[in-house]
Amino acid sequence: MIKRLLLVLLASATAVSAQTTAFGTKATANAAETTATTPATKGNAKAPEEEVDNTVVITPFRSLTPPEAKTSRTFQLSKVNKLGFTETSKELQRLYSAFATQRIIDGSPSGSSKATGYLATVNYALVQDLGDNRFLAKAAWPAAGPNDILAAGADTMAVLLLDKPAKVGDAGKITGMHVGTVALLFTATYPPLVGKRLTLRREAFLECATLEDSPAGLQRFVEAITAGAELSVTTNETIPCKKCGGLGFTREAQKGQLLDKRVPCADCASTGKLIISVETKFVP
Ligand SMILES: [Zn+2]
């Protein structure tokens, strides 16, 4: 599904490339010639306008940054709320809520797939229609991922692939999956850049729907694991710093002194805590 969406996002890039190979070079050369000769042959002022290149080319510029877990653990459903085990129904609920926000609903047998990019709520106002439900938009989204790998956007131009047709000026809110940075070659149709052929490097988002975080959703999730589905969730967890044992400093014996010297822990910036990315695998 994601692959298909990416293909859609990039589809016209391929189409245009093919065209470029076949006719583009020739056409570009002609356009340049026309521009160059226009001042000499006055009265032909409309010609360059007719030759405005309205093709849109979207190519990947920087790939997306999939969540990467530093460590992994398992969560065993049969141990939930049993004495002596850390598995609790509260923890299951918390992990399922995170799981639900990391899956996108699609046509796969399980009804959803792991999102390959960070998901963020994107507020947008459409600035230009790029064809095939792709738009250049002024957008805002919160930072996402460990250490905010995907930086927040505020009044930032971004490329969106929407689920349904829309028109310039429309504003709204979507759940967007970040698919990386793309290079967009296009002719602007919005002021003050109307008619300008530009290349922008912009973050790209695909509109998608996430799993429902509901008791029924949790029930289906548990049933799927019991039936043998291999599911996991990646979350940021706070753990005590190993180097300093959660104290925020280490001790260093000083010659001739009763008290040890306290050395601030560099690993945890003296906080005693570390935030690490953990993949939790669910087992029956
Ligand atoms: Zn430390």
Side-chain angles (χ1 to χ4, degrees), residues 117-141:
Y118 296 116
L119 293 162
T121 300
V122 182
N123 282 287
Y124 66 85
L126 303 181
V127 171
Q128 182 165 342
D129 191 339
L130 303 169
D132 302 324
N133 283 8
R134 300 165 311 168
F135 295 89
L136 183 63
K138 257 200 183 149
W141 63 88

Side-chain angles (χ1 to χ4, degrees), residues 241-249 265-274:
C241 174
K242 269 190 191 139
K243 192 186 171 192
C244 64
L247 294 170
F249 59 85
C265 179
D267 281 22
C268 61
S270 304
T271 60
K273 291 169 190 160
L274 287 178

Side-chain angles (χ1 to χ4, degrees), residues 26 28 40 44 50 62 92 102 109 115-116 130 132 135 145-146 156 220 231-233 271:
K26 184 85 178 161
T28 311
N44 206 10
E50 282 162 13
R62 194 181 301 122
L92 176 62
Q102 292 171 12
T116 54
L130 303 169
D132 302 324
F135 295 89
T156 307
R220 279 192 295 273
L231 301 174
S232 70
V233 63
T271 60

Side-chain angles (χ1 to χ4, degrees), residues 29-45 47-48 51:
N30 286 346
E33 237 167 72
T34 312
T35 315
T37 53
T38 301
T41 55
K42 280 186 182 170
N44 206 10
E51 299 202 14

Side-chain angles (χ1 to χ4, degrees), residues 21-239:
T21 323
F23 319 101
T25 317
K26 184 85 178 161
T28 311
N30 286 346
E33 237 167 72
T34 312
T35 315
T37 53
T38 301
T41 55
K42 280 186 182 170
N44 206 10
K46 274 186 183 167
E49 245 179 303
E50 282 162 13
E51 299 202 14
V52 166
D53 185 356
N54 282 320
T55 50
V56 172
V57 184
I58 300 177
T59 44
F61 176 69
R62 194 181 301 122
S63 64
L64 52 88
T65 46
E68 221 175 89
K70 283 231 171 92
T71 179
S72 75
R73 64 181 183 189
T74 54
F75 185 102
Q76 200 169 332
L77 290 177
S78 59
K79 288 181 181 170
V80 169
N81 296 338
K82 292 242 170 82
L83 203 64
F85 296 107
T86 54
E87 284 91 340
T88 63
S89 47
K90 197 179 164 194
E91 174 74 347
L92 176 62
Q93 175 62 61
R94 183 183 74 88
L95 292 171
Y96 174 71
S97 293
F99 176 85
T101 63
Q102 292 171 12
R103 307 277 295 191
I104 58 172
I105 292 170
D106 59 18
S108 63
S110 64
S112 72
S113 299
K114 203 171 182 174
T116 54
Y118 296 116
L119 293 162
T121 300
V122 182
N123 282 287
Y124 66 85
L126 303 181
V127 171
Q128 182 165 342
D129 191 339
L130 303 169
D132 302 324
N133 283 8
R134 300 165 311 168
F135 295 89
L136 183 63
K138 257 200 183 149
W141 63 88
N147 302 317
D148 297 345
I149 281 177
L150 169 62
D155 217 14
T156 307
M157 286 286 206
V159 176
L160 305 181
L161 173 59
L162 300 182
D163 267 356
K164 294 185 184 77
K167 57 184 191 302
V168 170
D170 285 358
K173 188 161 87 171
I174 57 163
T175 297
M177 184 174 71
H178 181 235
V179 291
T181 312
V182 296
L184 167 67
L185 170 65
F186 72 119
T187 303
T189 59
Y190 56 92
L193 300 170
V194 176
K196 288 243 162 47
R197 191 89 179 134
L198 304 168
T199 299
L200 299 179
R201 291 193 179 112
R202 287 291 174 254
E203 302 306 333
F205 294 91
L206 303 175
E207 180 175 8
C208 57
T210 53
L211 272 185
E212 191 192 348
D213 183 7
S214 66
L218 175 57
Q219 180 69 31
R220 279 192 295 273
F221 173 73
V222 167
E223 282 166 9
I225 296 161
T226 310
E230 287 181 9
L231 301 174
S232 70
V233 63
T234 301
T235 50
N236 287 337
E237 305 291 342
T238 305
I239 59 160

